[in-house]
Amino acid sequence: MTNLQEAMNIFSSKLIDLMQDKKLNIKELSAKTNIPRSTINSWTLKKRSPKIDYLCTLADFFGVTIDYLVGREN
């Protein structure tokens, strides 16, 4: 597994956990963050990695750091 694949797996898991904690589905998260549903879906399926602006949006929305989202801190 490459570093990019590992990072995508970690990010996907963190995002899914955060969504579950807030009881949000992809459609609801999309509406609250203005991130397209298809983009969020591709992250949860580990098909794409997020751009930095989306990482910032998600970190602010969930009240976590970007490092947390990408697995650089617990």
Side-chain angles (χ1 to χ4, degrees):
M1 187 178 301
T2 68
N3 287 339
L4 179 57
Q5 288 172 322
E6 289 174 24
M8 287 173 55
N9 289 343
I10 290 167
F11 171 73
S12 176
S13 294
K14 298 273 187 183
L15 179 60
I16 290 168
D17 289 345
L18 289 166
M19 289 172 58
Q20 289 173 343
D21 289 347
K22 287 207 175 230
K23 297 179 174 43
L24 295 171
N25 61 35
I26 291 171
K27 182 179 179 180
E28 294 164 332
L29 180 60
S30 173
K32 291 179 182 288
T33 60
N34 294 317
I35 299 172
R37 284 188 315 206
S38 60
T39 300
I40 297 170
N41 189 52
S42 70
W43 297 335
T44 62
L45 296 174
K46 305 171 192 164
K47 292 186 177 187
R48 290 178 43 197
S49 58
K51 295 180 183 177
I52 190 69
D53 56 331
Y54 286 146
L55 282 173
C56 292
T57 298
L58 291 170
D60 289 345
F61 178 77
F62 287 114
V64 298
T65 65
I66 292 172
D67 280 349
Y68 174 80
L69 288 173
V70 297
R72 292 176 49 108
E73 73 178 40
N74 295 321

